[in-house]
Amino acid sequence: WQVDRTEVIRTCINPVFSKLFTVDFYFEEVQRLRFEVHDISSNHNGLKEADFLGGMECTLGQIVSQRKLSKSLLKHGNTAGKSSITVIAEELSGNDDYVELSFSARKLDDKDFFSKSDPFLEIFRMNDDATQQLVHRTEVVMNNLNPAWKTFKVSVNSLCSGDQDRRLKCIVWDWDSNGKHDFIGEFSSTFKEMRGAMEGRQVQWECINPKYKAKKKNYKNSGIVILNQCKIHKMHSFLDYIMGGCQIQFTVAIDFTASNGDPRNSCSLHYIHPYQPNEYLKALVAVGEICQDYDSDKMFPAFGFGARIPPEYKVSHDFAINFNEDNPECAGIQGVVEAYQSCLPKLQLYGPTNIAPIIQKVAKSASEETNTKEASQYFILLILTDGVITDMADTREAIVHASHLPMSVIIVGVGNADFSDMQMLDGDDGILRSPKGEPVLRDIVQFVPFRNFKHASPAALAKSVLAEVPNQVVDYYNGKGIKPKCV
């Protein structure tokens, strides 16, 4: 499926194309792209007559995580010539900034007989189709011709749809209890004009009643509205952080408790079938394949829990599946798969199912990362488990602690156990709390039972568990006031 093609650049062996390709980005999907370069003869613009100079395949995730991706152009038969192609990514949308505005007024017209006006202010955005959209209505200040309304926040998108020159219509009303508010006056402005109130300056407008203006000879205005301050708060997007060099550190933890069944038995959840990967492997590859594009060294720590491990055969809940405690990292997702397959015969599946130790282990790395005070590493822990958690209180405690750190936890339930406890950790049904009653700072756990995806593609499983990750990353860094490393 062809997305688009660039312009033709004549007689040039180092072309720089000006054409921009606009592609929707989804973190939770592997978006495979192919770029092809063709040499078109001067009298013909069709590809049939063109010479194929080479192609390059990659994922959109690879491009955005590197910002600038250069690769060889491969000819037919995948042979590399001397040519290469460079693709540069930049984010188009992502304007989630919001503004803080603080309005007051003076000498407004008095509309009430026995007391003074009760003014409130409405701000409308004028749309392209000439309709107007209410953006904000202030509170009513009772009995006051010189009101100071409360400071309010509004996103730049809703204020002016990201267009600083878009007309804004502002109306001042005198509130009446019967709902028939009296019109005091109006003025028009733009966000660009409002930005004039940024460094301690003020911007002001005359509030005009067109009827009075037409009738009264010496009519000046119906009061003055003043913008005392305009503060812009920058909200960074997920791609700002990724393109700023933030790495996603992906860690896997696999359940080796006895309830999985003896791996030598074909009914076991850990059975290694010569042609058909088991559910553990399917889930690991589906999620890992996406996360790996955002990790430059492609080295993934992989742990097991709930087994007795050699040489002493003591139960461990956070052992390296390559049995190298000093370096539990495996090379690529394939390395994790191989370590898993080779460790299985050496373990004695046991119990109980404790996952707090592994959450604490990753949290330790994540809390060391917080000392850098920059957005350089965000941790994703994938826990694959077949059963009911035995250390629920400790797990809740560990998740509440982890919610203050740059990390997210994904739990995939394998097999047919009762996973109702897991739904509680997910926090979608209500706020998760520690046993002491402390609430999570942010929702960082995503749980899905693999059985819901048995007949779906691996991509559907990955999509379901990873869809919330970009917001979790942004919530963490924006909440801490940490900017992307380089934008």
Side-chain angles (χ1 to χ4, degrees):
W1 179 59
Q2 182 177 313
V3 176
D4 211 341
R5 63 165 76 168
T6 66
E7 72 279 20
V8 175
I9 295 184
R10 301 277 174 210
T11 347
C12 176
I13 56 170
N14 298 307
V16 176
F17 299 101
S18 66
K19 167 88 181 171
L20 294 176
F21 297 97
T22 306
V23 188
D24 290 330
F25 166 78
Y26 302 101
F27 168 73
E28 64 274 19
E29 292 176 17
V30 176
Q31 294 173 270
R32 300 190 194 285
L33 300 175
R34 178 172 171 81
F35 297 86
E36 289 188 358
V37 182
H38 297 265
D39 177 23
I40 282 179
S41 60
S42 55
N43 56 357
H44 215 287
N45 270 347
L47 279 191
K48 281 204 173 66
E49 306 292 313
D51 291 330
F52 174 66
L53 297 178
M56 181 272 277
E57 291 185 11
C58 64
T59 68
L60 186 53
Q62 286 165 337
I63 300 173
V64 299
S65 64
Q66 297 178 39
R67 282 178 72 174
K68 186 174 181 177
L69 178 73
S70 295
K71 285 179 92 170
S72 298
L73 282 172
L74 300 181
K75 290 281 192 62
H76 294 302
N78 283 349
T79 54
K82 295 194 178 99
S83 319
S84 67
I85 182 170
T86 300
V87 184
I88 298 169
E90 61 181 65
E91 189 176 15
L92 283 182
S93 64
N95 185 358
D96 295 326
D97 300 352
Y98 62 94
V99 211
E100 217 173 303
L101 298 169
S102 173
F103 284 93
S104 61
R106 64 171 189 265
K107 295 189 178 167
L108 293 174
D109 284 357
D110 196 352
K111 294 285 182 183
D112 294 347
F113 286 123
F114 302 113
S115 61
K116 296 191 169 71
S117 296
D118 309 312
F120 66 94
L121 170 70
E122 288 183 330
I123 300 176
F124 295 87
R125 174 186 80 221
M126 307 307 286
N127 295 324
D128 294 336
D129 59 1
T131 58
Q132 50 187 41
Q133 172 70 42
L134 179 64
V135 173
H136 184 78
R137 177 185 291 122
T138 68
E139 76 287 6
V140 177
V141 176
M142 299 299 282
N143 198 21
N144 193 335
L145 301 180
N146 302 301
W149 291 289
K150 282 186 188 134
T151 303
F152 63 90
K153 288 178 182 169
V154 58
S155 76
V156 172
N157 268 338
S158 61
L159 181 64
C160 61
S161 311
D163 169 10
Q164 301 205 5
D165 293 312
R166 186 176 291 274
R167 299 305 308 165
L168 302 173
K169 183 174 172 183
C170 307
I171 304 177
V172 181
W173 299 90
D174 165 33
W175 178 83
D176 269 332
S177 55
N178 64 6
K180 294 181 177 165
H181 311 308
D182 295 317
F183 175 79
I184 294 180
E186 64 184 20
F187 61 93
S188 124
S189 182
T190 60
F191 177 42
K192 195 178 206 167
E193 193 178 1
M194 288 181 179
R195 291 182 64 148
M198 276 175 68
E199 281 88 36
R201 293 194 296 272
Q202 288 184 335
V203 182
Q204 51 184 34
W205 299 267
E206 287 189 283
C207 195
I208 303 294
N209 182 328
K211 274 188 188 163
Y212 291 175
K213 198 173 180 175
K215 281 184 189 165
K216 298 182 178 178
K217 255 200 177 120
N218 52 1
Y219 173 76
K220 271 201 179 133
N221 58 49
S222 295
I224 302 283
V225 174
I226 303 144
L227 176 57
N228 299 296
Q229 74 161 10
C230 169
K231 271 190 195 160
I232 297 175
H233 297 268
K234 187 100 192 94
M235 291 295 281
H236 296 289
S237 69
F238 175 67
L239 281 181
D240 285 337
Y241 288 106
I242 293 297
M243 291 173 154
C246 184
Q247 297 282 314
I248 300 279
Q249 295 293 348
F250 179 61
T251 303
V252 186
I254 299 172
D255 181 336
F256 291 107
T257 53
S259 52
N260 283 283
D262 182 343
R264 289 167 300 194
N265 183 327
S266 62
C267 304
S268 166
L269 292 167
H270 279 305
Y271 181 65
I272 301 294
H273 191 285
Y275 311 116
Q276 182 61 29
N278 63 34
E279 289 186 9
Y280 279 100
L281 285 172
K282 281 183 183 161
L284 160 67
V285 172
V287 177
E289 202 178 20
I290 287 166
C291 295
Q292 69 180 358
D293 281 345
Y294 302 89
D295 183 345
S296 58
D297 71 357
K298 310 274 181 281
M299 298 297 288
F300 306 115
F303 298 98
F305 58 92
R308 286 175 157 170
I309 59 167
E312 278 104 37
Y313 287 93
K314 283 197 182 115
V315 175
S316 168
H317 296 293
D318 57 355
F319 61 91
I321 62 172
N322 64 4
F323 298 123
N324 178 351
E325 291 305 324
D326 297 331
N327 182 11
E329 296 193 323
C330 307
I333 297 302
Q334 198 43 44
V336 179
V337 171
E338 286 160 15
Y340 163 74
Q341 290 173 332
S342 72
C343 84
L344 262 173
K346 301 171 191 156
L347 301 172
Q348 187 186 348
L349 271 55
Y350 210 69
T353 309
N354 291 354
I355 64 171
I358 194 70
I359 296 173
Q360 287 157 354
K361 194 172 201 127
V362 175
K364 189 168 180 288
S365 303
S367 77
E368 285 163 13
E369 168 62 21
T370 57
N371 300 332
T372 65
K373 299 274 192 293
E374 48 176 42
S376 46
Q377 298 188 67
Y378 189 93
F379 294 78
I380 293 181
L381 168 60
L382 172 65
I383 299 176
L384 305 170
T385 176
D386 84 314
V388 179
I389 295 176
T390 337
D391 61 342
M392 198 56 172
D394 289 347
T395 295
R396 279 164 49 201
E397 183 79 50
I399 289 169
V400 168
H401 169 66
S403 72
H404 293 260
L405 300 171
M407 72 179 273
S408 294
V409 180
I410 291 164
I411 305 174
V412 177
V414 173
N416 290 316
D418 170 17
F419 291 121
S420 44
D421 275 0
M422 299 290 199
Q423 306 288 2
M424 180 180 117
L425 296 178
D426 195 320
D428 287 349
D429 305 335
I431 292 172
L432 175 73
R433 293 176 183 274
S434 75
K436 297 190 196 94
E438 187 194 341
V440 282
L441 180 66
R442 32 188 268 285
D443 178 16
I444 61 162
V445 179
Q446 185 64 5
F447 168 74
V448 298
F450 189 88
R451 56 176 174 252
N452 295 1
F453 295 90
K454 248 197 163 102
H455 305 296
S457 66
L461 169 78
K463 199 168 175 169
S464 168
V465 293
L466 291 172
E468 291 182 19
V469 166
N471 285 340
Q472 290 173 352
V473 172
V474 166
D475 286 352
Y476 174 77
Y477 290 121
N478 274 325
K480 287 268 186 288
I482 296 174
K483 295 182 166 68
K485 286 207 296 186
C486 53
V487 173

